[in-house]
Amino acid sequence: MSVVLEVKDIHKSYWRKTALSDVSFTIERGKVIGLLGSNGSGKTTLMKLIAGLTHPTSGSIKVGGATVGHDTKRIVSYMPDIPLTEGWMKVKDAVSFYRDFYADFDHAKAHEMISFMRLNEQDRVSSLSKGMQERLQLTLALSRNASLYLLDEPIGGVDPVARGKILDALVEYYNPESSIILTTHLLTDIERIFDEVIMLKQGKLILQEDVETIRMKRGKSVDELFKEVYAEC
């Protein structure tokens, strides 16, 4: 498999605070990666760096072999932990906005996902429940034909029914030629779809490991390992 993401010796500081320190890893195409860590470990900062929304203090990041910049934004789809849509929009307006903004937006796929997610195109974004909001944001992010999808807490704060629907959509609409990196604290619900996990602690990478290796060699679930590693956080 070819490498879709290469992170090398990344350091990121904000004034006197270090958010990331000497972080290096690679991700191959066709992988679903869980980016894990306690609050403040650097997960969102790392995602923003990969998405090209901020710049590292030192080190380099390449997506599809190209250094992160204007060109890589065309092949990276980022779903932040806050909605990018406006409350006044209807669901159909949000889809139109993405279609106009992103040349790689797959309108047919978006409509198929809207049906799958049981969203109503006439509903206003402001009227949607938290779970329906998450379904919409995921629909918009996955409807781009990207090489790398960055999903920051896609099931955070939603009820179990909504979580199940969102996970089903990830499995159903995931392009095996691309890769997904997602953050979550709800590992019991989501670890079944992970191929690998990356763990950050206090801005440092402490583990990148295949999920099956964790289960077979360590004799633990990802959730159990997470609780052990971050017990003091």
Short mmCIF file of all heavy atoms in Angstrom, two decimals, residues 93-152:
data_model
loop_
_atom_site.label_atom_id
_atom_site.label_comp_id
_atom_site.label_asym_id
_atom_site.label_seq_id
_atom_site.Cartn_x
_atom_site.Cartn_y
_atom_site.Cartn_z
N ASP A 93 -29.37 23.54 1.57
CA ASP A 93 -28.47 24.69 1.38
C ASP A 93 -27.04 24.32 1.76
O ASP A 93 -26.08 24.75 1.10
CB ASP A 93 -28.92 25.87 2.24
CG ASP A 93 -30.29 26.40 1.83
OD1 ASP A 93 -30.60 26.36 0.64
OD2 ASP A 93 -31.03 26.85 2.73
N ALA A 94 -26.90 23.53 2.83
CA ALA A 94 -25.57 23.10 3.27
C ALA A 94 -24.91 22.24 2.20
O ALA A 94 -23.72 22.38 1.91
CB ALA A 94 -25.68 22.33 4.58
N VAL A 95 -25.70 21.37 1.58
CA VAL A 95 -25.19 20.53 0.50
C VAL A 95 -24.77 21.39 -0.69
O VAL A 95 -23.69 21.20 -1.27
CB VAL A 95 -26.25 19.49 0.07
CG1 VAL A 95 -25.81 18.76 -1.20
CG2 VAL A 95 -26.50 18.49 1.19
N SER A 96 -25.60 22.36 -1.04
CA SER A 96 -25.27 23.26 -2.16
C SER A 96 -24.01 24.07 -1.88
O SER A 96 -23.19 24.30 -2.77
CB SER A 96 -26.45 24.21 -2.44
OG SER A 96 -27.58 23.49 -2.88
N PHE A 97 -23.87 24.51 -0.62
CA PHE A 97 -22.68 25.27 -0.22
C PHE A 97 -21.42 24.45 -0.44
O PHE A 97 -20.43 24.93 -1.02
CB PHE A 97 -22.80 25.69 1.24
CG PHE A 97 -21.57 26.33 1.82
CD1 PHE A 97 -21.25 27.64 1.52
CD2 PHE A 97 -20.73 25.62 2.66
CE1 PHE A 97 -20.10 28.24 2.04
CE2 PHE A 97 -19.59 26.20 3.18
CZ PHE A 97 -19.27 27.51 2.87
N TYR A 98 -21.43 23.21 0.01
CA TYR A 98 -20.27 22.33 -0.16
C TYR A 98 -20.03 22.03 -1.64
O TYR A 98 -18.88 21.99 -2.10
CB TYR A 98 -20.46 21.04 0.63
CG TYR A 98 -19.78 21.04 1.98
CD1 TYR A 98 -20.20 21.93 2.97
CD2 TYR A 98 -18.72 20.20 2.26
CE1 TYR A 98 -19.58 21.96 4.21
CE2 TYR A 98 -18.10 20.22 3.50
CZ TYR A 98 -18.52 21.09 4.47
OH TYR A 98 -17.90 21.13 5.69
N ARG A 99 -21.10 21.82 -2.39
CA ARG A 99 -20.96 21.53 -3.82
C ARG A 99 -20.30 22.70 -4.55
O ARG A 99 -19.44 22.50 -5.40
CB ARG A 99 -22.34 21.27 -4.41
CG ARG A 99 -22.32 20.92 -5.91
CD ARG A 99 -23.71 20.91 -6.46
NE ARG A 99 -24.34 22.23 -6.31
CZ ARG A 99 -25.65 22.44 -6.37
NH1 ARG A 99 -26.48 21.43 -6.54
NH2 ARG A 99 -26.14 23.66 -6.22
N ASP A 100 -20.67 23.92 -4.17
CA ASP A 100 -20.10 25.10 -4.81
C ASP A 100 -18.67 25.38 -4.36
O ASP A 100 -17.85 25.91 -5.12
CB ASP A 100 -20.95 26.33 -4.52
CG ASP A 100 -22.33 26.25 -5.16
OD1 ASP A 100 -22.50 25.43 -6.09
OD2 ASP A 100 -23.23 27.00 -4.72
N PHE A 101 -18.37 25.01 -3.11
CA PHE A 101 -17.07 25.34 -2.52
C PHE A 101 -15.99 24.31 -2.88
O PHE A 101 -14.82 24.66 -3.03
CB PHE A 101 -17.21 25.44 -1.01
CG PHE A 101 -16.09 26.19 -0.34
CD1 PHE A 101 -16.05 27.57 -0.35
CD2 PHE A 101 -15.06 25.51 0.30
CE1 PHE A 101 -15.02 28.28 0.25
CE2 PHE A 101 -14.03 26.20 0.91
CZ PHE A 101 -14.00 27.58 0.89
N TYR A 102 -16.39 23.03 -2.99
CA TYR A 102 -15.41 21.96 -3.24
C TYR A 102 -15.67 21.31 -4.59
O TYR A 102 -16.72 20.73 -4.83
CB TYR A 102 -15.48 20.90 -2.14
CG TYR A 102 -15.09 21.42 -0.78
CD1 TYR A 102 -16.06 21.63 0.21
CD2 TYR A 102 -13.77 21.69 -0.46
CE1 TYR A 102 -15.71 22.11 1.47
CE2 TYR A 102 -13.40 22.17 0.80
CZ TYR A 102 -14.38 22.37 1.75
OH TYR A 102 -14.02 22.85 2.99
N ALA A 103 -14.66 21.37 -5.47
CA ALA A 103 -14.80 20.80 -6.81
C ALA A 103 -14.95 19.28 -6.77
O ALA A 103 -15.52 18.69 -7.69
CB ALA A 103 -13.59 21.19 -7.65
N ASP A 104 -14.46 18.65 -5.69
CA ASP A 104 -14.51 17.19 -5.61
C ASP A 104 -15.77 16.69 -4.90
O ASP A 104 -15.87 15.50 -4.58
CB ASP A 104 -13.27 16.66 -4.90
CG ASP A 104 -13.13 17.16 -3.46
OD1 ASP A 104 -14.01 17.92 -3.01
OD2 ASP A 104 -12.15 16.79 -2.80
N PHE A 105 -16.72 17.58 -4.62
CA PHE A 105 -17.93 17.18 -3.89
C PHE A 105 -18.81 16.31 -4.79
O PHE A 105 -19.13 16.68 -5.92
CB PHE A 105 -18.71 18.41 -3.43
CG PHE A 105 -19.82 18.11 -2.48
CD1 PHE A 105 -19.56 17.83 -1.15
CD2 PHE A 105 -21.15 18.09 -2.91
CE1 PHE A 105 -20.59 17.54 -0.26
CE2 PHE A 105 -22.19 17.82 -2.03
CZ PHE A 105 -21.90 17.54 -0.70
N ASP A 106 -19.20 15.15 -4.27
CA ASP A 106 -20.03 14.19 -5.01
C ASP A 106 -21.48 14.40 -4.61
O ASP A 106 -21.93 13.91 -3.57
CB ASP A 106 -19.57 12.77 -4.67
CG ASP A 106 -20.25 11.71 -5.53
OD1 ASP A 106 -21.38 11.94 -5.98
OD2 ASP A 106 -19.64 10.64 -5.72
N HIS A 107 -22.22 15.13 -5.45
CA HIS A 107 -23.59 15.49 -5.13
C HIS A 107 -24.48 14.26 -5.00
O HIS A 107 -25.35 14.18 -4.11
CB HIS A 107 -24.13 16.44 -6.21
CG HIS A 107 -25.30 17.24 -5.78
ND1 HIS A 107 -26.50 17.24 -6.43
CD2 HIS A 107 -25.47 18.10 -4.72
CE1 HIS A 107 -27.35 18.04 -5.82
NE2 HIS A 107 -26.75 18.58 -4.79
N ALA A 108 -24.30 13.29 -5.88
CA ALA A 108 -25.11 12.07 -5.84
C ALA A 108 -24.87 11.29 -4.55
O ALA A 108 -25.82 10.80 -3.92
CB ALA A 108 -24.79 11.20 -7.05
N LYS A 109 -23.62 11.21 -4.14
CA LYS A 109 -23.28 10.51 -2.89
C LYS A 109 -23.89 11.24 -1.70
O LYS A 109 -24.41 10.60 -0.77
CB LYS A 109 -21.76 10.42 -2.73
CG LYS A 109 -21.32 9.65 -1.49
CD LYS A 109 -19.81 9.58 -1.43
CE LYS A 109 -19.33 8.79 -0.22
NZ LYS A 109 -17.85 8.74 -0.13
N ALA A 110 -23.87 12.57 -1.73
CA ALA A 110 -24.45 13.35 -0.64
C ALA A 110 -25.94 13.06 -0.49
O ALA A 110 -26.44 12.86 0.62
CB ALA A 110 -24.22 14.84 -0.88
N HIS A 111 -26.66 13.02 -1.59
CA HIS A 111 -28.09 12.75 -1.54
C HIS A 111 -28.37 11.32 -1.05
O HIS A 111 -29.33 11.09 -0.32
CB HIS A 111 -28.73 12.99 -2.90
CG HIS A 111 -29.03 14.44 -3.16
ND1 HIS A 111 -30.09 15.10 -2.58
CD2 HIS A 111 -28.38 15.37 -3.90
CE1 HIS A 111 -30.11 16.36 -2.97
NE2 HIS A 111 -29.07 16.55 -3.76
N GLU A 112 -27.51 10.40 -1.47
CA GLU A 112 -27.67 9.02 -1.00
C GLU A 112 -27.44 8.94 0.50
O GLU A 112 -28.18 8.26 1.23
CB GLU A 112 -26.67 8.13 -1.74
CG GLU A 112 -26.84 6.64 -1.44
CD GLU A 112 -25.87 5.77 -2.22
OE1 GLU A 112 -25.31 6.25 -3.22
OE2 GLU A 112 -25.67 4.61 -1.80
N MET A 113 -26.43 9.65 1.00
CA MET A 113 -26.15 9.65 2.43
C MET A 113 -27.25 10.36 3.22
O MET A 113 -27.57 9.94 4.34
CB MET A 113 -24.79 10.30 2.71
CG MET A 113 -23.60 9.44 2.35
SD MET A 113 -22.05 10.09 3.03
CE MET A 113 -22.31 9.81 4.80
N ILE A 114 -27.81 11.43 2.67
CA ILE A 114 -28.90 12.13 3.34
C ILE A 114 -30.07 11.17 3.58
O ILE A 114 -30.67 11.14 4.66
CB ILE A 114 -29.35 13.35 2.52
CG1 ILE A 114 -28.34 14.48 2.71
CG2 ILE A 114 -30.74 13.83 2.95
CD1 ILE A 114 -28.55 15.65 1.79
N SER A 115 -30.37 10.37 2.57
CA SER A 115 -31.43 9.37 2.71
C SER A 115 -31.05 8.32 3.74
O SER A 115 -31.86 7.96 4.61
CB SER A 115 -31.70 8.72 1.35
OG SER A 115 -32.68 7.70 1.47
N PHE A 116 -29.81 7.84 3.68
CA PHE A 116 -29.33 6.83 4.62
C PHE A 116 -29.38 7.35 6.05
O PHE A 116 -29.74 6.63 6.99
CB PHE A 116 -27.90 6.44 4.25
CG PHE A 116 -27.30 5.37 5.14
CD1 PHE A 116 -27.50 4.03 4.86
CD2 PHE A 116 -26.54 5.71 6.26
CE1 PHE A 116 -26.95 3.04 5.66
CE2 PHE A 116 -25.99 4.73 7.07
CZ PHE A 116 -26.20 3.39 6.76
N MET A 117 -29.02 8.62 6.23
CA MET A 117 -28.97 9.24 7.56
C MET A 117 -30.35 9.70 8.05
O MET A 117 -30.49 10.19 9.16
CB MET A 117 -28.03 10.45 7.53
CG MET A 117 -26.58 10.12 7.29
SD MET A 117 -25.82 9.35 8.73
CE MET A 117 -24.10 9.75 8.44
N ARG A 118 -31.34 9.57 7.17
CA ARG A 118 -32.72 10.00 7.49
C ARG A 118 -32.80 11.49 7.82
O ARG A 118 -33.50 11.91 8.74
CB ARG A 118 -33.29 9.14 8.63
CG ARG A 118 -33.40 7.67 8.26
CD ARG A 118 -33.97 6.83 9.38
NE ARG A 118 -34.03 5.43 8.98
CZ ARG A 118 -34.39 4.43 9.79
NH1 ARG A 118 -34.73 4.70 11.04
NH2 ARG A 118 -34.42 3.19 9.35
N LEU A 119 -32.07 12.26 7.04
CA LEU A 119 -32.13 13.72 7.14
C LEU A 119 -33.19 14.25 6.18
O LEU A 119 -33.42 13.68 5.11
CB LEU A 119 -30.78 14.33 6.78
CG LEU A 119 -29.64 14.12 7.79
CD1 LEU A 119 -28.29 14.35 7.13
CD2 LEU A 119 -29.81 15.04 8.99
N ASN A 120 -33.83 15.35 6.56
CA ASN A 120 -34.82 16.00 5.72
C ASN A 120 -34.17 17.23 5.09
O ASN A 120 -33.72 18.13 5.79
CB ASN A 120 -36.04 16.41 6.55
CG ASN A 120 -37.17 16.97 5.70
OD1 ASN A 120 -36.94 17.54 4.64
ND2 ASN A 120 -38.40 16.80 6.17
N GLU A 121 -34.13 17.29 3.76
CA GLU A 121 -33.47 18.39 3.07
C GLU A 121 -34.08 19.76 3.37
O GLU A 121 -33.43 20.78 3.22
CB GLU A 121 -33.48 18.15 1.56
CG GLU A 121 -32.59 17.01 1.12
CD GLU A 121 -32.41 16.97 -0.38
OE1 GLU A 121 -32.99 17.83 -1.08
OE2 GLU A 121 -31.68 16.10 -0.85
N GLN A 122 -35.35 19.77 3.81
CA GLN A 122 -36.03 21.04 4.08
C GLN A 122 -35.84 21.53 5.51
O GLN A 122 -36.21 22.67 5.83
CB GLN A 122 -37.54 20.89 3.80
CG GLN A 122 -37.86 20.53 2.36
CD GLN A 122 -37.33 21.55 1.37
OE1 GLN A 122 -37.39 22.76 1.61
NE2 GLN A 122 -36.83 21.08 0.23
N ASP A 123 -35.27 20.70 6.37
CA ASP A 123 -35.06 21.10 7.77
C ASP A 123 -33.94 22.13 7.87
O ASP A 123 -32.92 22.02 7.19
CB ASP A 123 -34.70 19.88 8.64
CG ASP A 123 -35.91 19.03 8.95
OD1 ASP A 123 -37.05 19.48 8.71
OD2 ASP A 123 -35.72 17.89 9.41
N ARG A 124 -34.13 23.11 8.76
CA ARG A 124 -33.08 24.08 9.01
C ARG A 124 -32.03 23.47 9.94
O ARG A 124 -32.34 22.70 10.84
CB ARG A 124 -33.65 25.35 9.63
CG ARG A 124 -34.52 26.15 8.67
CD ARG A 124 -34.71 27.59 9.11
NE ARG A 124 -35.57 28.30 8.17
CZ ARG A 124 -35.15 28.84 7.03
NH1 ARG A 124 -33.87 28.75 6.71
NH2 ARG A 124 -35.99 29.46 6.23
N VAL A 125 -30.80 23.84 9.71
CA VAL A 125 -29.70 23.33 10.53
C VAL A 125 -29.94 23.65 12.00
O VAL A 125 -29.68 22.83 12.89
CB VAL A 125 -28.36 23.92 10.04
CG1 VAL A 125 -27.24 23.58 11.01
CG2 VAL A 125 -28.03 23.42 8.64
N SER A 126 -30.47 24.84 12.28
CA SER A 126 -30.71 25.26 13.66
C SER A 126 -31.75 24.40 14.37
O SER A 126 -31.79 24.37 15.61
CB SER A 126 -31.15 26.73 13.71
OG SER A 126 -32.33 26.92 12.96
N SER A 127 -32.58 23.70 13.60
CA SER A 127 -33.63 22.88 14.21
C SER A 127 -33.18 21.44 14.46
O SER A 127 -33.91 20.66 15.08
CB SER A 127 -34.88 22.86 13.31
OG SER A 127 -34.66 22.09 12.14
N LEU A 128 -32.00 21.08 13.97
CA LEU A 128 -31.54 19.70 14.08
C LEU A 128 -31.04 19.39 15.49
O LEU A 128 -30.41 20.23 16.14
CB LEU A 128 -30.41 19.43 13.08
CG LEU A 128 -30.73 19.59 11.59
CD1 LEU A 128 -29.48 19.34 10.76
CD2 LEU A 128 -31.86 18.66 11.17
N SER A 129 -31.31 18.18 15.94
CA SER A 129 -30.76 17.71 17.21
C SER A 129 -29.25 17.54 17.06
O SER A 129 -28.70 17.58 15.96
CB SER A 129 -31.39 16.38 17.60
OG SER A 129 -31.00 15.37 16.68
N LYS A 130 -28.57 17.34 18.20
CA LYS A 130 -27.12 17.13 18.17
C LYS A 130 -26.76 15.95 17.28
O LYS A 130 -25.83 16.02 16.47
CB LYS A 130 -26.60 16.90 19.60
CG LYS A 130 -25.12 16.56 19.71
CD LYS A 130 -24.23 17.71 19.37
CE LYS A 130 -22.78 17.38 19.67
NZ LYS A 130 -21.85 18.44 19.23
N GLY A 131 -27.54 14.87 17.42
CA GLY A 131 -27.27 13.68 16.62
C GLY A 131 -27.46 13.93 15.14
O GLY A 131 -26.66 13.47 14.31
N MET A 132 -28.52 14.64 14.78
CA MET A 132 -28.77 14.95 13.38
C MET A 132 -27.72 15.93 12.83
O MET A 132 -27.33 15.85 11.66
CB MET A 132 -30.17 15.53 13.20
CG MET A 132 -31.28 14.49 13.35
SD MET A 132 -31.15 13.21 12.07
CE MET A 132 -32.64 12.26 12.39
N GLN A 133 -27.25 16.85 13.67
CA GLN A 133 -26.17 17.75 13.27
C GLN A 133 -24.93 16.95 12.89
O GLN A 133 -24.28 17.21 11.87
CB GLN A 133 -25.83 18.71 14.42
CG GLN A 133 -26.82 19.83 14.61
CD GLN A 133 -26.39 21.10 13.87
OE1 GLN A 133 -25.49 21.07 13.04
NE2 GLN A 133 -27.06 22.20 14.17
N GLU A 134 -24.59 15.97 13.75
CA GLU A 134 -23.41 15.15 13.48
C GLU A 134 -23.59 14.35 12.19
O GLU A 134 -22.65 14.19 11.41
CB GLU A 134 -23.16 14.19 14.66
CG GLU A 134 -22.85 14.88 15.98
CD GLU A 134 -21.44 15.45 16.04
OE1 GLU A 134 -20.76 15.46 15.00
OE2 GLU A 134 -21.03 15.90 17.11
N ARG A 135 -24.81 13.85 11.95
CA ARG A 135 -25.07 13.11 10.72
C ARG A 135 -24.86 13.99 9.50
O ARG A 135 -24.30 13.55 8.49
CB ARG A 135 -26.50 12.56 10.72
CG ARG A 135 -26.78 11.51 11.79
CD ARG A 135 -28.18 10.92 11.61
NE ARG A 135 -28.62 10.19 12.80
CZ ARG A 135 -29.68 9.40 12.83
NH1 ARG A 135 -30.41 9.24 11.74
NH2 ARG A 135 -30.02 8.77 13.95
N LEU A 136 -25.32 15.24 9.59
CA LEU A 136 -25.17 16.17 8.48
C LEU A 136 -23.70 16.50 8.23
O LEU A 136 -23.23 16.47 7.09
CB LEU A 136 -25.95 17.46 8.74
CG LEU A 136 -25.77 18.58 7.70
CD1 LEU A 136 -26.18 18.11 6.32
CD2 LEU A 136 -26.56 19.82 8.12
N GLN A 137 -22.96 16.81 9.29
CA GLN A 137 -21.55 17.16 9.14
C GLN A 137 -20.75 16.01 8.54
O GLN A 137 -19.87 16.22 7.68
CB GLN A 137 -20.95 17.59 10.49
CG GLN A 137 -21.63 18.78 11.14
CD GLN A 137 -21.71 20.00 10.24
OE1 GLN A 137 -20.77 20.35 9.55
NE2 GLN A 137 -22.86 20.67 10.25
N LEU A 138 -21.06 14.79 8.97
CA LEU A 138 -20.37 13.63 8.44
C LEU A 138 -20.73 13.41 6.97
O LEU A 138 -19.87 13.08 6.15
CB LEU A 138 -20.71 12.38 9.25
CG LEU A 138 -19.93 11.12 8.87
CD1 LEU A 138 -18.45 11.30 9.17
CD2 LEU A 138 -20.47 9.90 9.61
N THR A 139 -21.99 13.62 6.63
CA THR A 139 -22.43 13.50 5.24
C THR A 139 -21.65 14.46 4.35
O THR A 139 -21.16 14.09 3.28
CB THR A 139 -23.94 13.81 5.12
OG1 THR A 139 -24.68 12.79 5.81
CG2 THR A 139 -24.39 13.85 3.67
N LEU A 140 -21.51 15.70 4.79
CA LEU A 140 -20.79 16.70 4.01
C LEU A 140 -19.32 16.34 3.87
O LEU A 140 -18.74 16.46 2.78
CB LEU A 140 -20.95 18.08 4.66
CG LEU A 140 -22.38 18.62 4.73
CD1 LEU A 140 -22.42 19.90 5.56
CD2 LEU A 140 -22.95 18.87 3.34
N ALA A 141 -18.70 15.88 4.95
CA ALA A 141 -17.27 15.55 4.92
C ALA A 141 -16.99 14.35 4.03
O ALA A 141 -16.05 14.36 3.22
CB ALA A 141 -16.76 15.29 6.33
N LEU A 142 -17.81 13.30 4.15
CA LEU A 142 -17.56 12.07 3.40
C LEU A 142 -17.98 12.18 1.94
O LEU A 142 -17.59 11.33 1.13
CB LEU A 142 -18.28 10.88 4.06
CG LEU A 142 -17.75 10.39 5.40
CD1 LEU A 142 -18.51 9.15 5.84
CD2 LEU A 142 -16.26 10.09 5.33
N SER A 143 -18.78 13.18 1.60
CA SER A 143 -19.22 13.33 0.22
C SER A 143 -18.16 13.96 -0.68
O SER A 143 -18.36 14.05 -1.89
CB SER A 143 -20.52 14.15 0.15
OG SER A 143 -21.59 13.42 0.72
N ARG A 144 -17.07 14.38 -0.10
CA ARG A 144 -15.94 14.83 -0.91
C ARG A 144 -15.11 13.61 -1.33
O ARG A 144 -14.95 12.67 -0.55
CB ARG A 144 -15.06 15.80 -0.13
CG ARG A 144 -15.69 17.16 0.09
CD ARG A 144 -14.70 18.10 0.76
NE ARG A 144 -13.49 18.23 -0.06
CZ ARG A 144 -12.33 18.70 0.40
NH1 ARG A 144 -12.22 19.07 1.67
NH2 ARG A 144 -11.28 18.78 -0.39
N ASN A 145 -14.60 13.63 -2.55
CA ASN A 145 -13.74 12.55 -3.03
C ASN A 145 -12.30 12.85 -2.65
O ASN A 145 -11.48 13.24 -3.49
CB ASN A 145 -13.90 12.38 -4.54
CG ASN A 145 -15.27 11.88 -4.91
OD1 ASN A 145 -15.79 10.94 -4.31
ND2 ASN A 145 -15.89 12.49 -5.92
N ALA A 146 -12.01 12.69 -1.37
CA ALA A 146 -10.70 13.04 -0.83
C ALA A 146 -9.83 11.79 -0.66
O ALA A 146 -10.31 10.65 -0.70
CB ALA A 146 -10.86 13.75 0.51
N SER A 147 -8.55 12.02 -0.45
CA SER A 147 -7.62 10.93 -0.15
C SER A 147 -7.51 10.67 1.35
O SER A 147 -7.19 9.57 1.78
CB SER A 147 -6.22 11.24 -0.71
OG SER A 147 -6.25 11.33 -2.11
N LEU A 148 -7.76 11.73 2.13
CA LEU A 148 -7.64 11.63 3.58
C LEU A 148 -8.79 12.39 4.24
O LEU A 148 -9.05 13.55 3.91
CB LEU A 148 -6.30 12.23 4.04
CG LEU A 148 -5.99 12.21 5.53
CD1 LEU A 148 -5.91 10.78 6.05
CD2 LEU A 148 -4.68 12.96 5.82
N TYR A 149 -9.48 11.71 5.16
CA TYR A 149 -10.59 12.31 5.90
C TYR A 149 -10.17 12.46 7.35
O TYR A 149 -9.69 11.51 7.97
CB TYR A 149 -11.84 11.43 5.80
CG TYR A 149 -12.36 11.28 4.40
CD1 TYR A 149 -11.87 10.27 3.57
CD2 TYR A 149 -13.32 12.14 3.88
CE1 TYR A 149 -12.32 10.11 2.26
CE2 TYR A 149 -13.78 12.00 2.57
CZ TYR A 149 -13.27 10.98 1.78
OH TYR A 149 -13.73 10.85 0.49
N LEU A 150 -10.36 13.66 7.89
CA LEU A 150 -10.03 13.96 9.28
C LEU A 150 -11.33 14.26 10.01
O LEU A 150 -11.98 15.27 9.73
CB LEU A 150 -9.09 15.17 9.36
CG LEU A 150 -7.81 15.10 8.53
CD1 LEU A 150 -7.07 16.44 8.58
CD2 LEU A 150 -6.90 13.97 9.00
N LEU A 151 -11.70 13.41 10.94
CA LEU A 151 -12.98 13.54 11.64
C LEU A 151 -12.73 13.73 13.13
O LEU A 151 -12.30 12.81 13.83
CB LEU A 151 -13.84 12.29 11.40
CG LEU A 151 -13.98 11.81 9.94
CD1 LEU A 151 -14.79 10.52 9.89
CD2 LEU A 151 -14.61 12.88 9.08
N ASP A 152 -12.99 14.95 13.60
CA ASP A 152 -12.73 15.28 15.00
C ASP A 152 -14.00 15.07 15.83
O ASP A 152 -14.96 15.82 15.72
CB ASP A 152 -12.26 16.74 15.10
CG ASP A 152 -11.54 17.04 16.42
OD1 ASP A 152 -11.51 16.15 17.29
OD2 ASP A 152 -11.01 18.15 16.56
#
